[in-house]
Amino acid sequence: MLRSLDCTTWFAYEQDDNVTLLLTELFPNLTKLKLQNCNHGHHLWHFNELQDLYLSSSSLDTPTLDRVFSSLPLRKLALFPFPTSEVGDLSLVWKCFTLEELLIDDFNLTFNMLSSLLRLPRLKRLSFYTRDYYYNYMSDLGCLKQEFRVRSLLFNSCSWYFHDVGLIIARFSNLCRLVIQDDDIDKKQLYVICSNLKHLEELHLIDIREFPFASDMWNMVGACRTLKVLNISNNELDEFFLDESITCLNRVLRRRDADSPVTLHAHKTRLANDPQKTIDALNHPFLRISFDPVHVDTLAKSDRAFIETEFR
């Protein structure tokens, strides 16, 4: 019995919904489907066991969205109507009570849709492809008074145009994990974030375009007493990074509790060139050092810029 199917077809425009109908007849017990063609979403509601849907379609009108959201027991949804297509009322997503994870483009994530999405009782993760929408998105979360629900934020290759983005992130009072990868953010904004977030446990700064000096990094650690994981993998550290770290270490870590050490992940950095030298130089009872790669799981799998949020 087939449970998972990846189907891409590019037939005549008017025939692709017939392909969907055929799939429902051939594989009625699918729980996972990736469908890419010129379909209009018709007949998807016949997959009454479908939990994971990746849909690329030519258009999705409101009645179709209503029926799909109301009928399918979806837990995971990636929705990509063609950018030039007409899309109906996506705020009807509130009818999909089982939904836990959503991947979408930013131009489809309207304020009304976000408001409806955040009403879902099981929602855990929202990921959307974007370049410069993050400022509006975080402001919308504030308007909806949902900042307290955010436990993790991930920014991948987003341009930090706004000088006060650090203050905006600092409003997410229950944030436990912050991931910034393939991006640029200055040391002042990072310090604001670390000094204001009282529950931050993980900070991942991966492949940052201009990584802070060692003293700036350790000042961030000192400002965040709850930090347990600092991941600086894939960064170009300056040649004095290790020596400067030695001078900062005791001043920063001596105020920490013995049962709450910091783990420093330094995969593919200058510190990993001679692991034993780094371990000996940064020997401290409140510091652990790892050179193993850290896997950051995301809904988005392409190289495009995206933001991902995990909710409580």
Side-chain angles (χ1 to χ4, degrees):
M1 183 185 299
L2 190 68
R3 289 289 191 175
S4 179
L5 180 65
D6 186 336
C7 178
T8 301
T9 59
W10 301 108
F11 297 158
Y13 179 79
E14 65 275 7
Q15 296 298 319
D16 281 335
D17 283 316
N18 292 335
V19 172
T20 305
L21 180 60
L22 179 61
L23 292 178
T24 66
E25 295 169 350
L26 292 175
F27 312 113
N29 301 113
L30 286 180
T31 58
K32 183 176 181 179
L33 173 63
K34 184 174 184 179
L35 182 60
Q36 301 182 92
N37 57 25
C38 293
N39 73 83
H40 301 79
H42 299 166
H43 311 299
L44 285 170
W45 43 82
H46 295 301
F47 289 115
N48 54 22
E49 297 181 35
L50 197 62
Q51 298 181 25
D52 186 339
L53 174 62
Y54 182 108
L55 182 64
S56 177
S57 61
S58 64
S59 66
L60 293 166
D61 61 27
T62 294
T64 299
L65 288 168
D66 192 353
R67 196 162 181 183
V68 168
F69 289 147
S70 301
S71 304
L72 297 181
L74 293 174
R75 295 177 58 237
K76 186 174 180 178
L77 174 62
L79 197 58
F80 296 103
F82 296 167
T84 57
S85 66
E86 295 184 8
V87 181
D89 187 3
L90 287 169
S91 68
L92 293 171
V93 71
W94 69 266
K95 295 190 175 184
C96 191
F97 299 114
T98 54
L99 192 64
E100 298 176 6
E101 299 180 346
L102 175 66
L103 176 63
I104 198 170
D105 282 317
D106 62 356
F107 50 81
N108 286 318
L109 186 63
T110 64
F111 182 86
N112 287 339
M113 185 193 183
L114 180 62
S115 178
S116 294
L117 192 64
L118 293 172
R119 292 164 58 187
L120 295 174
R122 299 185 184 181
L123 183 68
K124 295 178 181 177
R125 283 204 290 182
L126 168 62
S127 187
F128 58 94
Y129 292 111
T130 189
R131 172 62 63 178
D132 55 7
Y133 181 69
Y134 67 88
Y135 190 88
N136 290 336
Y137 169 66
M138 291 187 289
S139 297
D140 287 347
L141 287 174
C143 291
L144 293 167
K145 302 187 184 304
Q146 295 293 305
E147 294 166 320
F148 75 98
R149 289 183 56 192
V150 177
R151 69 164 306 277
S152 173
L153 279 171
L154 184 151
F155 299 89
N156 180 78
S157 195
C158 296
S159 299
W160 296 75
Y161 295 124
F162 301 97
H163 68 278
D164 59 346
V165 70
L167 290 172
I168 295 173
I169 293 177
R171 295 204 299 258
F172 292 83
S173 57
N174 289 320
L175 193 69
C176 295
R177 186 183 77 150
L178 177 62
V179 182
I180 302 173
Q181 58 186 20
D182 188 22
D183 226 318
D184 50 358
I185 180 170
D186 64 48
K187 63 183 181 182
K188 292 181 180 180
Q189 294 187 64
L190 284 171
Y191 188 83
V192 168
I193 292 168
C194 290
S195 59
N196 282 278
L197 293 177
K198 305 305 181 184
H199 300 285
L200 187 66
E201 297 181 355
E202 297 185 26
L203 178 60
H204 300 260
L205 304 174
I206 306 169
D207 196 14
I208 301 300
R209 291 165 196 166
E210 291 186 15
F211 196 80
F213 292 118
S215 58
D216 297 318
M217 184 195 81
W218 290 110
N219 284 339
M220 289 186 291
V221 175
C224 188
R225 302 285 294 276
T226 56
L227 195 67
K228 297 179 180 178
V229 173
L230 176 59
N231 180 12
I232 62 171
S233 298
N234 296 77
N235 280 298
E236 191 70 35
L237 308 180
D238 74 85
E239 59 181 313
F240 304 109
F241 195 90
L242 182 59
D243 293 336
E244 193 174 348
S245 293
I246 296 171
T247 65
C248 300
L249 209 58
N250 189 60
R251 169 180 59 82
V252 169
L253 296 180
R254 66 185 178 184
R255 295 181 298 169
R256 298 186 67 90
D257 297 329
D259 58 351
S260 182
V262 176
T263 298
L264 176 67
H265 293 276
H267 179 65
K268 287 188 177 180
T269 66
R270 181 185 297 273
L271 300 181
N273 293 340
D274 190 339
Q276 194 57 53
K277 178 183 178 181
T278 299
I279 291 172
D280 292 341
L282 301 182
N283 182 32
H284 193 282
F286 299 162
L287 181 66
R288 308 285 184 267
I289 302 176
S290 170
F291 302 102
D292 296 328
V294 178
H295 175 65
V296 178
D297 178 55
T298 61
L299 293 178
K301 303 302 181 186
S302 81
D303 294 331
R304 296 168 57 192
F306 68 90
I307 294 174
E308 184 162 302
T309 309
E310 291 185 20
F311 297 95
R312 296 178 179 277

